[in-house]
Amino acid sequence: MSKARLITLEGSEGAGKTTALKTICKILDSWDVDYICTREPGGEPTAEKIRDILLFSEHLHAKTELLLMFASRNEHIQNVIKPALAQGTWVISDRYVDASYAYQGGGRELGFDIVKWMDLFIVGEVQADFTVLMDIEPEIGLQRIKSRGQADRIEQESIEFFHRITQAYRNKAQLESNRYAVIDASRSIKQVKVAIKLAFADKKDVLL
């Protein structure tokens, strides 16, 4: 039996991760592997409670946000991701630790070093095998989500905040280019789906 893989999906607001996730699921269906889909923050009962605090609190200090993200992530890893991988089940996570490099490291300007320390402490060896980054300019992404209704705490941040997130994601993808597939999410849905399929086809031999 081949090793179960952890596939992560990253991107800022309005990047089209929902469409990407559906495409990835269809690809794994065609590969005939068992998998589960999960998300961060959340993916587990306690982690979902922390998600509510993260998204809907009136205010959170940047360091508090970072600590809560990793507290949620630890519950997610220990109770969902590790057990699934141990049973041979692949995991697709809508956001994972790279989101903390982008949102807290970049967006909140805490820097990569402190996030890296938390990464080593909490995530350890449970690292992503393959990461799909839905790359989009913040102006386009935020315009897309205007129709969603009331924005959460993070979605209400300044455009500068989202530019820092986007740049942090791009920096991380450049640093770990072998793990990443960067998808131009500003293109049409059809073009995005094709790009994701090509990215997985290119990685198939490595992942399987």
Side-chain angles (χ1 to χ4, degrees):
M1 180 181 291
S2 63
K3 176 187 173 184
R5 301 294 183 179
L6 172 56
I7 310 293
T8 58
L9 178 60
E10 297 286 353
S12 188
E13 313 306 313
K17 291 190 292 90
T18 300
T19 297
L21 184 61
K22 291 177 181 177
T23 303
I24 293 170
C25 288
K26 288 182 179 179
I27 292 167
L28 295 190
D29 285 338
S30 72
W31 288 4
D32 196 28
V33 297
D34 292 326
Y35 65 90
I36 60 169
C37 294
T38 186
R39 69 175 183 177
E40 287 199 351
E44 187 271 351
T46 300
E48 288 290 335
K49 292 177 182 177
I50 299 173
R51 178 189 177 90
D52 287 340
I53 298 172
L54 283 162
L55 297 185
F56 302 109
S57 292
E58 290 186 12
H59 59 82
L60 280 179
H61 189 277
K63 291 179 181 178
T64 305
E65 183 178 286
L66 177 68
L67 291 167
L68 286 173
M69 277 300 312
F70 273 96
S72 170
R73 182 165 295 128
N74 188 57
E75 293 300 311
H76 188 214
I77 290 170
Q78 299 300 329
N79 298 315
V80 177
I81 295 177
K82 285 178 72 174
L85 295 174
Q87 292 173 5
T89 301
W90 290 39
V91 177
I92 311 170
S93 185
D94 180 352
R95 293 209 175 107
Y96 194 49
V97 67
D98 291 331
S100 284
Y101 284 96
Y103 279 76
Q104 286 80 51
R108 301 297 182 202
E109 300 183 278
L110 294 176
F112 274 18
D113 287 347
I114 186 62
V115 180
K116 181 64 176 178
W117 187 90
M118 297 291 289
D119 184 357
L120 292 170
F121 178 53
I122 298 297
V123 183
E125 296 181 354
V126 192
Q127 298 290 333
D129 294 292
F130 186 40
T131 299
V132 176
L133 172 61
M134 302 297 287
D135 183 53
I136 195 167
E137 292 300 328
E139 289 83 357
I140 300 173
L142 292 174
Q143 185 64 38
R144 286 179 176 178
I145 68 170
K146 278 189 174 181
S147 61
R148 290 182 185 174
Q150 186 174 2
D152 62 37
R153 184 180 64 87
I154 292 176
E155 290 170 344
Q156 295 176 42
E157 288 289 346
S158 68
I159 191 67
E160 291 78 16
F161 174 79
F162 290 104
H163 274 291
R164 291 194 297 270
I165 287 170
T166 300
Q167 191 56 54
Y169 266 133
R170 289 171 178 171
N171 291 346
K172 197 76 166 66
Q174 189 172 18
L175 286 170
E176 301 182 39
S177 57
N178 288 337
R179 174 168 65 87
Y180 269 85
V182 181
I183 307 296
D184 181 356
S186 67
R187 293 182 292 178
S188 70
I189 291 176
K190 182 177 180 180
Q191 290 172 317
V192 166
K193 287 181 178 179
V194 169
I196 293 171
K197 289 175 182 177
L198 288 173
F200 270 82
D202 188 51
K203 280 281 186 180
K204 185 175 182 179
D205 288 344
V206 175
L207 294 173
L208 289 177

